[in-house]
């Protein structure tokens, strides 16, 4: 059996959580492969909204096993809070939620270092979620990290102390004003580690290999989006992991030859939270309406998301890098009532018109070239079948499919599980 992937094609928050939840009924296993609690994945069903950060979005399905893969970084404190929030659902976590021994831990001092680094950068800050993601991946690649499997060893606290002490001197090096009580942060951390230790730790690459061999279906859940990828995103305004398809291989130990479908998910417009270039960003009523109607506030930090027209130059790039085989278009309902819609199909770049994503996409280098289309008036949120779609929406979808050369198989018309239309 192949492993299917679901990935964000923009700057995150495309609606991955919702679609993973919808697709989980087709899979035995859902596995997160990168990122950490910088992610906020929203699911809605039965009138309740859930936001997950580290726990995979298949957790509410009775028979699905949820795996936190080796490529993920885990903050035990946030993880414990997530578990606490789910207590009322009476889920059997010991059985349903299993964690790779090779996943790295976010320490309290990683969070402090993230904050110190951002403060020191001043205006050039990344706009990090301040969850300690960058410093934790730095320790991973620097070969200093503490992994989940270390918690099963007797001496892990010594390793912890040495690393936390080193972090403290690094914080001093930044020479910025930081108020914190490390003893208190550590109390919370060690308490949360004990809760984490109650879960099942596994060698997830071996588990997934055997699961596949025994005919289980697996869906890998991405976090963030392709334009936040550490290699292919808008560096340095990116996250610290490979959010693209290849990240699923390294983040789960699945061979490239085992990958089946690659589901690429995008919003019918574009959003971005945090700093960094965004060629189609809007500062007018259209952008404001997208933000308001789309309720565009970060699921992790509550920050307002920047909004703009769909950028096909960037989307094509993401489709290619991931090898997307099917697309899902989210939040078309938010655009209902727009008199016109614009889609960026090329950039003016250094006096030339180009259709690929160049090295620098800052506003001073790039001016978007737009194709204008007619908007639709109809409310999409109660529609249950693609045959009910207005002509203008069908035209929009057909135009995107022609440009992207990949079929749009799902159109989402609202946040609820049921507001999902298969084509
Ligand atoms: P993720 O990080 O990719 O899982 O996405 P987020 O959960 O951060 O952000 C997506 C937001 O859009 C959430 O508030 C969802 O409930 C909401 N959402 C998802 N799909 C739709 C849709 O089709 N229409 C509307 N209006 N909201 C949606
Ligand atoms: P999901 O999985 C949107 C952004 C931050 C910042 C940059 C680096 O919900 O789509 P980091 O905390 O990783 O150091 O932040 O990346 N970012 C996200 N933006 N959705 C996310 O996750 C994000 N995770 C990180 O805003 O610009
Ligand atoms: Mg999100």
């Amino acid at each position: 059996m192949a492993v299917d992937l679901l990935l964000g094609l923009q700057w995150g928050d495309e609606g991955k959580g919702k679609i993973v939840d919808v697709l989980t009924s087709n899979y035995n296993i859902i596995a997160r492969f990168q990122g950490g609690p910088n992610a906020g994945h929203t699911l809605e069903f039965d009138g309740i909204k859930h936001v997950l950060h580290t726990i995979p979005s298949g957790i509410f399905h009775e028979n699905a096993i949820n795996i936190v893969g080796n490529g993920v970084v885990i903050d035990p404190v946030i993880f414990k809070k997530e578990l606490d929030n789910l207590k009322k659902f009476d889920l059997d976590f010991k059985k349903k939620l299993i964690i790779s021994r090779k996943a790295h831990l976010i320490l309290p001092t990683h969070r402090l270092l993230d904050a110190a680094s951002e403060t020191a950068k001043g205006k050039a800050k990344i706009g990090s979620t301040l969850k300690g993601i960058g410093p934790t991946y730095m320790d991973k690649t620097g070969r200093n990290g503490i992994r989940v499997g270390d918690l099963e060893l007797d001496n892990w606290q010594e390793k912890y102390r040495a690393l936390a002490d080193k972090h403290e001197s690094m914080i001093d090096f930044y020479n910025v004003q930081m108020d914190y009580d490390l003893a208190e942060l550590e109390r919370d951390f060690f308490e949360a580690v004990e809760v984490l230790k109650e879960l099942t730790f596994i060698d997830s690459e071996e588990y997934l290999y055997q699961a596949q061999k025994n005919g289980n279906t697996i869906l890998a859940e991405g976090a963030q989006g392709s334009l936040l990828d550490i290699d292919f995103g808008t560096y340095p305004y990116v996250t610290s992991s490979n959010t693209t398809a290849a990240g699923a291989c390294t983040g789960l130990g699945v061979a490239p030859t085992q990958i089946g479908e690659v589901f690429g998910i995008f919003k019918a417009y574009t959003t971005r939270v945090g700093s960094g270039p965004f060629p189609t960003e809007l500062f007018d009523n259209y952008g404001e309406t997208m933000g308001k109607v789309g309720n565009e506030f970060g699921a992790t930090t509550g920050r307002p998301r920047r909004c703009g027209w769909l950028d096909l130059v960037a989307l094509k790039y993401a489709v290619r890098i991931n090898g997307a085989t099917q697309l899902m278009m989210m939040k078309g309902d938010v655009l209902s009532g727009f008199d016109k819609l614009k889609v960026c199909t090329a950039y003016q770049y250094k006096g030339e018109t180009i259709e690929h994503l160049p090295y620098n996409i800052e506003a001073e280098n790039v001016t978007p070239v737009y194709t204008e289309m007619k908007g639709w008036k109809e409310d999409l949120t109660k529609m249950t079948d693609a045959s009910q779609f207005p002509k203008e929406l069908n035209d929009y979808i057909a135009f995107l499919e022609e440009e992207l050369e990949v079929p749009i198989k799902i159109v989402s018309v609202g946040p609820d599980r049921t507001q999902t239309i298969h084509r």
Side-chain angles (χ1 to χ4, degrees), residues 20-294:
V20 169
D21 171 57
V22 167
L23 296 181
T24 298
S25 40
N26 304 333
Y27 294 92
N28 304 112
I29 297 172
I30 308 297
R32 264 282 297 273
F33 61 86
Q34 46 66 236
N38 48 349
H41 293 180
T42 314
L43 289 69
E44 261 186 67
F45 55 88
D46 299 340
I48 311 177
K49 179 171 150 174
H50 311 272
V51 181
L52 299 170
H53 301 287
T54 323
I55 295 176
S57 301
I59 196 71
F60 294 104
H61 290 252
E62 203 168 327
N63 296 318
I65 299 289
N66 288 258
I67 296 184
V68 179
N70 57 280
V72 176
V73 291
I74 301 174
D75 184 334
V77 178
I78 296 179
F79 201 85
K80 176 177 176 290
K81 274 192 202 137
E82 280 191 73
L83 291 174
D84 286 345
N85 287 340
L86 294 176
K87 258 195 187 133
K88 51 183 175 289
F89 297 96
D90 205 21
L91 306 169
D92 184 353
F93 291 124
K94 184 89 188 154
K95 201 169 129 222
K96 285 177 64 76
L97 181 57
I98 51 187
I99 301 181
S100 168
R101 289 197 175 91
K102 295 191 176 75
H104 280 246
L105 293 179
I106 301 176
L107 312 186
T109 42
H110 282 132
R111 265 183 280 136
L112 297 173
L113 276 170
D114 211 357
S117 164
E118 284 284 79
T119 309
K121 278 185 194 285
K123 266 199 184 144
K125 71 174 184 188
I126 308 295
S128 161
T129 60
L130 302 178
K131 303 295 176 197
I133 304 296
T136 306
Y137 279 113
M138 281 164 71
D139 272 336
K140 173 177 176 173
T141 51
R143 295 158 295 179
N144 298 311
I146 297 184
R147 302 192 289 178
V148 166
D150 291 336
L151 301 177
E152 294 171 326
L153 308 176
D154 292 336
N155 67 343
W156 82 271
Q157 297 214 9
E158 283 164 38
K159 211 171 150 186
Y160 169 88
R161 190 73 272 144
L163 190 55
D165 287 349
K166 183 171 125 190
H167 288 161
E168 275 212 287
S169 44
M170 288 164 71
I171 294 166
D172 291 343
F173 168 81
Y174 280 107
N175 196 22
V176 292
Q177 173 69 31
M178 295 274 294
D179 290 321
Y180 60 89
D181 179 349
L182 186 57
E184 192 183 324
L185 295 173
E186 288 185 336
R187 256 196 311 278
D188 289 348
F189 176 77
F190 287 116
E191 191 188 311
V193 162
E194 291 310 309
V195 174
L196 189 67
K197 281 165 80 174
E198 286 166 20
L199 296 181
T200 308
F201 298 163
I202 53 162
D203 299 323
S204 56
E205 59 286 5
E206 172 65 15
Y207 182 97
L208 288 170
Y209 173 76
Q210 295 297 345
Q212 261 180 293
K213 221 171 143 185
N214 295 330
N216 289 288
T217 49
I218 301 168
L219 176 66
E221 175 179 2
Q224 289 80 55
S226 303
L227 299 172
L228 290 170
D229 182 276
I230 183 71
D231 284 282
F232 297 106
T234 47
Y235 192 89
Y237 300 100
V238 293
T239 191
S240 300
S241 62
N242 280 115
T243 59
T244 45
C249 297
T250 56
L252 293 173
V254 168
T257 46
Q258 295 302 307
I259 303 298
E261 297 292 332
V262 179
F263 304 119
I265 177 167
F266 68 98
K267 280 179 189 164
Y269 48 99
T270 311
T271 64
R272 169 162 212 173
V273 61
S275 328
F278 180 178
T280 62
E281 183 169 12
L282 291 168
F283 301 95
D284 60 8
N285 282 338
Y286 289 103
E288 223 169 88
T289 307
M290 288 168 187
K292 213 184 275 171
V293 179

